[in-house]
Amino acid sequence: MPEPAQAPDRQGRSKAIPLAKGAIDQYLNTAPLSARGRGLRVLQRDALDQHDVAVGVQRSFAETVDAYIENKLAEE
């Protein structure tokens, strides 16, 4: 997942989450079936890396994205 230009604040987070979910859904809709799980794991690893260094709202954003990816992995 590309790094945001700046970390989302509370209001930015509410805008960023739908954008992140939309990007993940778009990836799933366009990636070959054989690559989806692997691609989701790469995105999840990026989210977890962000979680490790983030605080506050940034950490919450990373947790939300991670949980969304985890749900998508379970669906695959």
Side-chain angles (χ1 to χ4, degrees), residues 1-39:
M1 178 174 299
E3 293 185 57
Q6 75 184 69
D9 58 10
R10 289 188 193 280
Q11 186 175 0
R13 179 180 177 269
S14 65
K15 294 176 185 174
I17 289 174
L19 290 173
K21 288 179 176 181
I24 292 165
D25 291 342
Q26 184 177 9
Y27 167 75
L28 291 172
N29 290 332
T30 58
L33 186 59
S34 62
R36 290 179 188 170
R38 186 174 55 244

Side-chain angles (χ1 to χ4, degrees), residues 40 68-76:
L40 284 174
Y68 189 72
I69 293 170
E70 192 64 37
N71 287 336
K72 292 298 182 179
L73 282 167
E75 292 174 5
E76 285 294 309

Side-chain angles (χ1 to χ4, degrees), residues 22-70:
I24 292 165
D25 291 342
Q26 184 177 9
Y27 167 75
L28 291 172
N29 290 332
T30 58
L33 186 59
S34 62
R36 290 179 188 170
R38 186 174 55 244
L40 284 174
R41 284 185 202 87
V42 170
L43 293 173
Q44 187 175 40
R45 191 171 26 247
D46 286 346
L48 291 172
D49 288 346
Q50 292 297 317
H51 178 268
D52 290 343
V53 297
V55 294
V57 174
Q58 295 167 326
R59 176 173 242 145
S60 177
F61 175 80
E63 289 170 349
T64 301
V65 171
D66 176 53
Y68 189 72
I69 293 170
E70 192 64 37

